[in-house]
Amino acid sequence: MQNEGFFEEGVVFGVTLALSIIVILLLRRFWPWSRGLDRGDGLRKLQSEPVLRVGGIAIFAVFAVSCVAAGSPDIAQDPLRISWPFFLLGATMFLLGLLDDLFGLPAVVRLLVQIVVGIGAYLCDMRIDLLTNPFGAGEIETGGFGLILTVIWFVSIPNLINLVDGMDGLAGGIALFLCITLATLGAFAGHEEMLLLNVGLVGGIVGFLVFNLPPARIYMGDGGAYLLGFAIAGSSMQTSNKGSILGALLVVIIVLGFPILDTALAMVRRVLTGLPLMRPDALHLHHRLMTLGFSKRNILFVLYGIFAGLSLLGLSVFLSAGYSLPIVGMVATLAVIQALRFLGLPHNLKQVRKVFGDLIEARKDVRYAYAMSLVLEHDLERVASAAEFWRNFRRFIERLDLVPVVGGVENVDESRQVIALRLDPQTLWIIHCPRPADNSRRWERVARCFFSAIMGARGAWKARLPADLGFVESTSESDMQDLEMRVINSGGEEFVI
C-alpha cells in the first residue's frame, strides 16, 4: 500500500463525519414539508413525536464525497474502480428510497428498479463471474448464472439493511460494522479504493448515529438503507483479483447473519400462518429482547456486540483463505441455538415440529382474523364515531369466540382459557377463548391479528381503550404485574407482543 500512516484515510473520515453532522443539523432545522416525517403508530413506531426520516440525504452526501476520494487517481492504482457508473447506480438506489420515503412506492416498482440496478452493476463489471474455491485450489466460473447471482446480491443486501431498520440505531449499527469490516479487508488486501470508500462511509455513519441512537432524532429512511446496502454490496466486489471475490462475499454474508436469521424466521412465520410476506409486525428478534425487559440502549449494545463478533468471524474466514470456515460455521450454529433458547423460541427438532404444527393448525383462523382486522383498519376512516368502531370490533372478535374479560378472571368458566396480551408497557388486553389442545398458542396468534386495528383506533381518537372490551390501562408496573399473575394463576396465559 502507498500510505504514510493512513493520513488520507484519516482526512476522509474527518470530512465525512463533519459533513454528515452538518447536513443532518441543516435538515432538522430547515426541512419545510410534512412529507418525510415519521409518526408513531403504536405498533412498531413508538415515538411520541414525529421524527424526520430523510437522513438518507446526509448519507448520500457522504457517499458522494467517499466516491470522489476513492476514485482519485492520486491515491488509487485503478482510478476507474470507484467510477461514475458506481456512483450513478448508488444515486439511483438512493432516489428510489427517498421517493418511497416521501410518497410511498408500490413494492413491485421498488423491486423492478432494484433489478435494473443489479443488471446495470453486472454490465459495469461489478459481477460475480469467477469464484475461488474456499476449501482448496481452483476456480469456479459462474457463466450465465453470474448475472442472476449479481442481481440477487444487489437486491438482497439493500433490502436486508432496510428490513432491520426497525429500531433506533440498528440499521446504522450493522452498516457501520460491515463498512469497518470491508475497510479492513481493503487494508489487508491492498485495495486502497475499497479502503477509502468504506472509511468515508464509516465517518458518515458515525455522524448519523449521533442523532439516531435511542431516542432517535432522525431516521435514515429507505433512501439511506438502500444506498448503504448498495455501497456494501458494490464495494465487496471492488477487487482487482476477481477470483478472490468469494472471500469478500462470505464476509458480508457472515456479518449479515443476524438480519438473515431474523428475516428467515419472519418469512417462515408469515408463510405458515397465511399472512402476507411483507406484513410488518412487532415479533422481530429485537422486539423479543424488549419483552424480556431490556431497554433499547441495552438491546442495541448487545446487538452491536453480536455484529462485532460476526465481523471478526468473517475476517477470520477471509484471512485464513477459507480454512476457518468450518469452525466459524460450528460457532455460529451453537450461537444461534443458544440465542433461540434465550429468546424462548424453538431450538430443537421436537419444539420446531410442535410450533410448525400449531402455526398450520391456526392458519385458517389467523387468516380470517387478519381479513377482519383489515376491514376494521378501513373503518377507521369511514365510521362516524369511536362507539361505532368498537361495536364493529366486538362483533368481529365474537365471530372467533374471543370474549373480553370484564369483572375479574375468576369468573371465567374453567373450560375457557384466559389470555392477556401486553399491547404496550401500560396496556393489557384480557380475553377468554376456547381452551386449545396441547397448550398451543393458537388463540394468542389469532387475537394478535387485531393489534394494528386496536392501536390505530387509539391513535385516531386519542382516548383510552374501552374497559368493557377487556382493555386494562395503568401507569403502575406493579399493578400490571399483579394482574398478569392473576391471569396465570387462573390457568391462563400471558403473552407480550
Side-chain angles (χ1 to χ4, degrees):
M1 298 180 62
Q2 302 299 318
N3 268 313
E4 297 180 2
F6 295 101
F7 175 76
E8 293 91 350
E9 287 77 7
V11 171
V12 171
F13 176 87
V15 168
T16 55
L17 173 64
L19 178 64
S20 177
I21 293 174
I22 291 171
V23 173
I24 290 174
L25 289 174
L26 292 175
L27 286 172
R28 297 187 69 232
R29 176 67 179 85
F30 297 108
W31 184 259
W33 303 293
S34 60
R35 288 185 183 274
L37 292 175
D38 201 357
R39 294 172 173 81
D41 61 6
L43 176 57
R44 296 172 301 115
K45 307 172 183 178
L46 303 178
Q47 66 267 26
S48 57
E49 298 292 334
V51 177
L52 196 63
R53 59 170 300 167
V54 293
I57 294 175
I59 295 174
F60 177 72
V62 166
F63 174 74
V65 170
S66 301
C67 285
V68 171
S72 171
D74 294 331
I75 53 176
Q77 294 179 354
D78 185 356
L80 299 179
R81 182 63 62 189
I82 304 296
S83 57
W84 281 108
F86 180 86
F87 172 77
L88 292 176
L89 290 171
T92 302
M93 289 292 282
F94 163 70
L95 289 174
L96 172 68
L98 182 63
L99 290 174
D100 187 45
D101 291 330
L102 297 179
F103 305 104
L105 298 178
V108 173
V109 172
R110 299 199 304 270
L111 179 60
L112 288 175
V113 174
Q114 290 167 1
I115 290 174
V116 170
V117 169
I119 295 173
Y122 182 86
L123 297 176
C124 295
D125 204 32
M126 288 179 284
R127 61 179 68 168
I128 306 172
D129 53 3
L130 188 63
L131 305 174
T132 55
N133 182 359
F135 301 105
E139 296 176 340
I140 304 171
E141 293 186 7
T142 60
F145 194 57
L147 174 60
I148 298 175
L149 288 175
T150 302
V151 170
I152 290 175
W153 184 252
F154 277 95
V155 170
S156 60
I157 301 302
N159 280 290
L160 278 172
I161 299 296
N162 192 42
L163 282 171
V164 298
D165 193 19
M167 176 181 164
D168 299 348
L170 185 55
I174 194 167
L176 174 67
F177 281 97
L178 276 165
C179 290
I180 291 174
T181 304
L182 289 171
T184 305
L185 291 185
F188 276 108
H191 302 144
E192 195 161 359
E193 66 287 334
M194 183 177 178
L195 171 61
L196 280 167
L197 175 69
N198 284 282
V199 165
L201 291 175
V202 167
I205 295 170
V206 170
F208 170 76
L209 287 175
V210 170
F211 300 90
N212 188 239
L213 292 176
R217 289 165 284 172
I218 194 167
Y219 298 145
M220 69 169 62
D222 289 356
Y226 286 164
L227 176 58
L228 285 176
F230 170 84
I232 291 164
S235 66
S236 63
M237 298 186 181
Q238 303 306 314
T239 169
S240 58
N241 180 5
K242 282 294 185 178
S244 67
I245 217 172
L246 181 58
L249 302 190
L250 283 174
V251 170
V252 174
I253 291 171
I254 291 169
V255 179
L256 285 171
F258 175 84
I260 289 173
L261 175 64
D262 191 23
T263 302
L265 291 174
M267 295 300 180
V268 169
R269 181 175 65 244
R270 294 166 191 169
V271 167
L272 291 179
T273 54
L275 296 175
L277 282 178
M278 301 309 293
R279 176 181 181 263
D281 58 33
L283 290 175
H284 291 282
L285 296 179
H286 56 275
H287 290 119
R288 292 185 180 274
L289 285 170
M290 289 184 199
T291 68
L292 296 175
F294 288 89
S295 68
K296 283 188 175 182
R297 281 188 176 268
N298 287 339
I299 292 172
L300 203 59
F301 292 144
V302 168
L303 295 178
Y304 281 6
I306 293 173
F307 300 155
L310 291 172
S311 298
L312 292 174
L313 290 176
L315 285 171
S316 72
V317 172
F318 182 84
L319 297 177
S320 67
Y323 289 108
S324 67
L325 189 57
I327 299 175
V328 169
M330 181 182 67
V331 171
T333 301
L334 293 175
V336 168
I337 292 173
Q338 290 300 319
L340 293 176
R341 177 179 296 172
F342 178 76
L343 294 171
L345 295 170
H347 54 273
N348 59 50
L349 189 58
K350 181 180 179 181
Q351 292 181 351
V352 170
R353 283 202 302 263
K354 183 181 184 303
V355 170
F356 276 26
D358 292 345
L359 289 172
I360 294 172
E361 181 184 358
R363 181 183 176 94
K364 183 177 180 180
D365 289 328
V366 167
R367 295 189 68 175
Y368 186 42
Y370 177 66
M372 289 191 288
S373 179
L374 290 179
V375 173
L376 288 170
E377 290 181 45
H378 288 296
D379 277 352
L380 290 172
E381 301 176 355
R382 294 176 176 271
V383 296
S385 65
E388 181 182 352
F389 173 86
W390 291 118
R391 282 196 300 272
N392 294 339
F393 179 85
R394 182 186 292 275
R395 286 199 298 269
F396 282 166
I397 64 173
E398 287 178 350
R399 291 183 186 180
L400 290 159
D401 204 7
L402 302 177
V403 181
V405 173
V406 181
V409 298
E410 298 82 3
N411 301 324
V412 178
D413 189 272
E414 291 184 359
S415 64
R416 308 275 293 180
Q417 181 186 36
V418 179
I419 60 176
L421 297 132
R422 180 76 79 101
L423 305 182
D424 60 35
Q426 289 81 40
T427 310
L428 279 176
W429 184 27
I430 307 176
I431 56 179
H432 62 87
C433 57
R435 187 172 293 277
D438 301 326
N439 296 319
S440 73
R441 300 177 64 179
R442 174 181 182 178
W443 295 109
E444 178 260 335
R445 294 186 174 95
V446 170
R448 194 171 59 218
C449 291
F450 294 98
F451 186 75
S452 58
I454 293 168
M455 303 310 289
R458 171 191 272 178
W461 286 290
K462 308 296 182 184
R464 293 174 67 90
L465 299 174
D468 62 341
L469 285 172
F471 297 109
V472 179
E473 297 186 72
S474 174
T475 56
S476 171
E477 179 61 26
S478 61
D479 290 346
M480 300 296 283
Q481 292 177 353
D482 289 344
L483 186 54
E484 289 169 350
M485 287 305 301
R486 287 167 56 195
V487 171
I488 295 172
N489 293 334
S490 71
E493 297 286 347
E494 183 269 329
F495 299 104
V496 186
I497 42 181

